[in-house]
Amino acid sequence: VVSFLGWQESPLEESGAVSAGLAGTLTLFQALGDARIPGRLWCVTRGAVSVDGADGTGGVDGVDGTGGVDGVVRGPRPVQAQVWGLGRVAGLEEPERWGGLVDVPEVADGSAAQRLAAVLAGLGDEDQLAVRGAGVFVRRLVRAPLEPSAAVRPWRPDGTVLVTGGTGGLGGHVARWLASLGAEHVVLASRRGAGAEGAAHLAAELEQLGARVSFAACDMADRAALAGLLDNLEAEGSPVRSVVHAAGVPGRFVALADAEVSDLAEALGAKALGATALDELLDSGRLDAFVLFSSNAGVWGGSGQGAYAAANAHLDALAEQRRARGVVATSVAWGMWHGEGL
């Protein structure tokens, strides 16, 4: 079974956080199981991943030895990347019914169609592939050559730093770190703001470290509320210079066979919609840092974490897209945290 449902990026009317393509992919996966159809499911996306040496941005390694560059420099499309996050979990949970993920170019020609057919006919055990003008590529994890190298540029927080999910466990850790580095003004945004448990104690800690602290009650999934928060900071003479997006909820851990669209909406809300809104509303030319808190669930999946994996794949793709546009972005795929946090 070959699905192009993921191409539909328009949001569902009943849930603005979930695209028709992601909801359709989940529904198809469940329906195939309910109908006991033995065929393997292949999901085709368009521009969901970047390919090193083939579209101008880093990503995966070529397998056919053709090399070459198609001359187009663009980052991946985050909404398309969500399907890859969900699909990797489908492959872990029900490998006997899973075919794989194939990404095709934004504009696919006859050669791309032939290569897609070749992939579906079978290329060994590969199940995460990208078809490009330069050939067929497969996904690989490689060691990042960062340890022995110096930082590309020194960074210290300057001016106002916005921390979303700022009163949560991870947000609190980040806020203390920022204050210890000399952040002048730390804005902690969360759904409850100053009313969150432990907010007063956290503020006292940060002030003792020398930072001015502000709280904001703001749902990151509410674009209008976020825009209002940023406008208020601008009017106060405290424009955001750096942002750390740590907002998000783990949602319920449930197998894709039992998941609902509401699970997708809960996971994507503050995390994916919030990140996209921050990307669009903030003046990127004035930002020193744009940091997204992602998860290894978005890198290689995790049983019961389909919705969460989709949301984090969105963040990773958004960071790549921003870098392709020439603006700052870092996505940190955290592993398990001990103690507070998710």
Side-chain angles (χ1 to χ4, degrees):
V1 179
V2 182
S3 169
F4 292 85
L5 290 172
W7 289 23
Q8 304 174 54
E9 295 193 9
S10 58
L12 294 176
E13 291 185 6
E14 64 271 25
S15 175
V18 184
S19 71
L22 187 67
T25 300
L26 172 64
T27 303
L28 173 61
F29 180 75
Q30 294 173 335
L32 291 173
D34 293 343
R36 301 183 184 278
I37 292 177
R40 291 177 177 267
L41 173 62
W42 285 88
C43 294
V44 183
T45 57
R46 181 173 55 181
V49 297
S50 58
V51 179
D52 187 24
D55 59 7
T57 54
V60 293
D61 302 322
V63 295
D64 67 350
T66 57
V69 178
D70 65 8
V72 179
V73 178
R74 66 168 64 89
R77 296 166 64 160
V79 176
Q80 294 286 301
Q82 294 173 11
V83 177
W84 276 60
L86 190 81
R88 283 191 281 266
V89 174
L92 291 173
E93 291 183 349
E94 300 193 38
E96 69 284 353
R97 295 201 299 111
W98 182 244
L101 296 153
V102 189
D103 192 64
V104 298
E106 294 281 351
V107 179
D109 57 14
S111 64
Q114 290 177 349
R115 285 172 172 150
L116 174 59
V119 168
L120 297 175
L123 285 178
D125 294 329
E126 302 295 345
D127 68 346
Q128 297 180 53
L129 308 99
V131 172
R132 295 294 186 266
V136 179
F137 296 75
V138 296
R139 188 167 183 259
R140 290 290 183 267
L141 289 175
V142 296
R143 185 176 297 278
L146 297 179
E147 187 174 353
S149 60
V152 174
R153 60 185 176 91
W155 181 80
R156 295 183 69 84
D158 183 35
T160 297
V161 183
L162 172 65
V163 182
T164 72
T167 58
L170 304 191
H173 281 297
V174 171
R176 296 182 190 96
W177 174 70
L178 290 167
S180 69
L181 289 178
E184 301 168 20
H185 183 201
V186 179
V187 179
L188 304 175
S190 63
R191 291 186 180 184
R192 295 181 59 195
E197 182 179 356
H201 180 70
L202 176 59
E205 284 188 80
L206 301 181
E207 289 168 354
Q208 190 172 9
L209 290 169
R212 181 164 68 94
V213 182
S214 299
F215 289 97
C218 180
D219 182 355
M220 290 298 113
D222 186 336
R223 181 188 173 94
L226 178 58
L229 167 60
L230 298 176
D231 287 344
N232 289 339
L233 290 172
E234 188 82 28
E236 294 170 3
S238 300
V240 174
R241 293 290 302 275
S242 298
V243 59
V244 178
H245 182 49
V249 295
R252 64 180 186 135
F253 284 67
V254 58
L256 288 178
D258 301 315
E260 300 176 0
V261 172
S262 59
D263 294 310
L264 299 177
E266 183 179 17
L268 289 166
K271 185 175 279 284
L273 284 187
T276 298
L278 287 167
D279 172 53
E280 295 172 352
L281 294 171
L282 286 168
D283 181 359
S284 292
R286 194 163 56 183
L287 287 181
D288 297 324
F290 186 92
V291 182
L292 304 171
F293 271 25
S294 180
S295 165
N296 278 331
V299 177
W300 56 65
S303 182
Q305 293 184 284
Y308 191 59
N312 287 291
H314 180 110
L315 298 192
D316 295 342
L318 178 61
E320 281 197 78
Q321 186 187 79
R322 284 179 58 89
R323 295 289 283 267
R325 292 184 349 231
V327 296
V328 294
T330 302
S331 185
V332 184
W334 293 107
M336 295 292 289
W337 278 72
H338 176 72
E340 297 176 291
L342 305 185

